[in-house]
Structures are given as C-alpha cells and as structure tokens.
Amino acid sequence: MGLKCGIVGLTNSGKTTMFNCISNTKAAVTDFATNKSNIGVCAVPDERLTHINTFIEAEKLVFANLDVVDIPGLAKGGQGNGNSLLADVRLCDALIHVLRCFDNPAIPHDEGSVDPVRDIEIVNFELQCKDLEQIDRKITKVEKAAKIGDKNAKRDYEVLKKYKEHLEGFQNVSTLEVSDDERAVVADMMLLTEKPVLYVCNVNDDDAVNGNAYSNAVKKYVEENGGQMLVIAAKIESEIAELDSEEDREAFLSDVGLTEPAVNQVIRAAYKMLDLISFFTVGGKENRAWTIHRGMLAPQAAGVIHSDLERGFIRAEVIKYEDLKALGSELKCKEAGKLHVEGKNYEVQDGDILHIRFNV
C-alpha cells in the first residue's frame, strides 16, 4: 500500500543503527549528520503466516511490509542536515522517534548531556516551526482568495488561525481538537506534528530488558502527553540482525533475557499505529500476508491483490486463522462450518484467510 514510517531523532541517537536492524537496506552509521535520507523496506513479523504454512505448505512465504525512511539527525535551531530534509518526513504516514537513553563519553551529545525528554521537545519544536511556516503560507493564500470573493475563504481562515495559535503555543497538531471538516482544510499540507509517533528509547545493553532512569522519564512523558513508547538496545539488535542461524539468534536472545528481537516489536507497533491489519491468501506457490486499513470491505481488500479482483468481485470465502489453527486444515474447517461465504459488504478482519471469487 506504499505506507511509510519515518525514523527521526537527534544526531547520535541510534536511528541509523535501528534502521539497519529492520530494513533490507543497510546504511553507514556515522557520528555526524549525513545529507541524505536512507530508504528501505521491512517485513512485518507475523508468526501466524509461519504457522499457516505448517497446515497449507507453499513454496515461499511473503510477509506484509512497510517502507521506512531514516531521516538524517535533526539539530536544535534548524542547523542539522536533517532539518533540510523534513520534506521527506512530510511524505511519511507515521514517525518513529529514536531517543538517546544511554551514557557513552565516547559519543558526545550535541546538547552536552543525555536528556531524552528535552530531546523530544527539541524535535517537536523543529517540526512545529515547519508546520507553522506551512500554515502561514496558506493563510496568505486564503487572504488573497477572500479579497476576490472566495466563499470558503473566511471559514478556512478561521480554521487556519486555530491551527496557528495551537502551534504558537508549542503544541503538536495531533493534540488539537478539530472536526473532520476543519481537518479537511489542512489535509493537503501533510502537517508534520499531526502524524502519530512511536518513541523508541535506545538504551545500553544492560538495560535492554528493564530500561533505565532515562526511559522511565520518557514513559512518564508519554503517560502525560500521549503516544506510544518501546525500549530497545540498538547495539544488541544490530548484533542479532547479523546472525545467520536461527539457533544462534535464539541463544543470543536468551543470554540477554529477551524472547524476540525488540525491533520486531517496533515494526508491529508502527503497523498498529497506522491502524493496519493483515489478511492472508494461501495455496499454490506462495502463502502471503496483505496489508489493508482496518475497516476495509472485501472488494477493497481484493483490490489490494489486483484491481481485476475488485472490479469483478463476486464473493469471498473466509476462514478465520484461529479456526484453521484449531482444526488443522481447510477441509476440516469447511466440514465444521467454519468456512463462510461473504459478499461485498463484508468487513475484512485481522487474520482472515481469503479466497476471492471474481469474474471480469
């Protein structure tokens, strides 16, 4: 579906290390801000697809995926290379904000000390300034439109003024209460601070399981201001990602007290943050997970596979993942009455296994 998560943060927070852990593209890790964004794709971990393959075996498994964009490190006052590339952030659907929550004298912090809550406020301020620039430019256009008699200009001006005042109060757009009609006035602007945010606390190896005082401060901030947060040790995650053997990875995880790579949780959290779900198609050459927005109807879901399936949609034969898991085969599901035939108004659920019937 072409959905993107942008990875943002200050220089030396561990953004690119995490990007390398989750992406099929590897980028150079530096102690300075680069001048370009790194773009990659990450598979969304889903043990359900692996489990389905034990019942209905295919030649290959194709997991759902997300596009990820690693934005160069931002800096206070708009000085960093990353600040000049905020247009890349504008094209993202959600943000993963990596926060430095570790001490290391060998890696200096631009602000002279480690304080992740302060870092959140620095990045928020830079994004708010960019949004305010956008709002001011649109206000100028609306004022010109009002002078030539545009009927909607006055309404638009009042809405934009509301957004402007909120941003001038150092508040993200995401915390502004507006109606759907008001939101439509700024929809084309793709405002940076309107995007959902996942805060990722990058800690030292010893704090990978329980976090530390820095991550606890972020937890308190999130509880008071909203958002989601996770704790990872990016250095450990990068070492795990380099291991080829599944047995070696499991042994490594066990040694550090983890049950799975924490970056898997990051990817799933980003997927959930975008209000996405997966349905499955099985049999033949591949078993595959497909990404759709929650609430999509069966014909729309079919269209994600191919436009012809939506255009010629007749019905969907649906088996729930949990029913297949419990009964062990499609045939047994059918015999037990667990295969349902659904029409055009069926809302696809997370974990549905679909067989699309169509005619074009």
Side-chain angles (χ1 to χ4, degrees), residues 59-333:
E59 293 179 16
K60 67 176 181 177
L61 302 183
V62 181
F63 290 85
N65 58 59
L66 284 175
D67 292 339
V68 286
V69 183
D70 173 30
I71 309 297
L74 302 175
K76 188 175 183 179
Q79 299 303 309
N81 290 331
N83 297 68
S84 65
L85 293 170
L86 286 176
D88 291 351
V89 180
R90 201 172 301 285
L91 298 176
C92 295
D93 302 283
L95 302 181
I96 299 172
H97 186 170
V98 180
L99 297 162
R100 177 168 172 171
C101 293
F102 64 87
D103 292 309
N104 187 337
I107 305 176
H109 194 295
D110 285 350
E111 296 300 311
S113 64
V114 177
D115 183 344
V117 173
R118 176 205 59 209
D119 294 349
I120 290 174
E121 292 171 348
I122 288 174
V123 171
N124 279 349
F125 180 73
E126 297 303 324
L127 300 183
Q128 289 161 8
C129 287
K130 288 295 182 182
D131 280 351
L132 196 53
E133 289 176 11
Q134 290 279 98
I135 293 292
D136 282 337
R137 282 198 292 270
K138 188 150 187 176
I139 285 176
T140 300
K141 290 180 181 179
V142 166
E143 287 175 332
K144 290 179 179 178
K147 291 178 181 178
I148 60 174
D150 188 319
K151 295 180 180 179
N152 295 321
K154 183 178 180 180
R155 179 210 63 184
D156 290 354
Y157 176 81
E158 292 301 321
V159 172
L160 292 168
K161 185 178 177 182
K162 187 175 182 178
Y163 276 86
K164 180 179 172 69
E165 290 174 353
H166 192 73
L167 287 164
E168 288 178 335
F170 306 104
Q171 298 294 313
N172 288 345
V173 169
S174 59
T175 63
L176 177 63
E177 293 186 8
V178 291
S179 67
D180 290 341
D181 287 342
E182 290 174 318
R183 190 175 290 108
V185 174
V186 301
D188 63 328
M189 302 169 71
M190 297 180 286
L191 296 173
L192 302 174
T193 63
E194 190 173 30
K195 302 178 189 300
V197 181
L198 170 66
Y199 297 104
V200 175
C201 298
N202 183 16
V203 300
N204 280 323
D205 297 359
D206 293 341
D207 301 318
V209 177
N210 298 315
N212 55 27
Y214 295 132
S215 62
N216 288 339
V218 176
K219 181 179 180 181
K220 182 180 178 183
Y221 174 89
V222 168
E223 288 172 349
E224 294 174 352
N225 296 276
Q228 301 178 54
M229 69 159 282
L230 289 171
V231 175
I232 74 164
K235 185 173 180 294
I236 286 178
E237 297 294 321
S238 65
E239 292 170 359
I240 293 170
E242 290 175 1
L243 297 174
D244 295 326
S245 165
E246 183 64 32
E247 290 183 0
D248 288 345
R249 284 195 290 270
E250 289 179 359
F252 195 127
L253 288 166
S254 179
D255 287 344
V256 297
L258 299 173
T259 57
E260 69 168 342
V263 290
N264 287 5
Q265 298 175 41
V266 173
I267 298 168
R268 285 197 296 265
Y271 200 70
K272 184 177 180 180
M273 188 166 59
L274 291 167
D275 205 20
L276 303 175
I277 62 173
S278 294
F279 72 91
F280 306 104
T281 54
V282 299
K285 291 186 177 182
E286 65 180 33
N287 290 339
R288 181 165 184 159
W290 301 88
T291 301
I292 60 171
H293 286 287
R294 189 180 303 278
M296 269 193 175
L297 300 181
Q300 295 173 296
V304 172
I305 301 172
H306 196 285
S307 58
D308 282 350
L309 273 66
E310 180 174 9
R311 184 161 55 91
F313 181 88
I314 299 173
R315 66 180 185 273
E317 296 172 0
V318 184
I319 296 175
K320 302 295 182 183
Y321 165 74
E322 292 298 334
D323 290 334
L324 179 66
K325 180 180 176 182
L327 297 172
S329 73
E330 289 182 287
L331 178 59
K332 289 181 179 178
C333 288

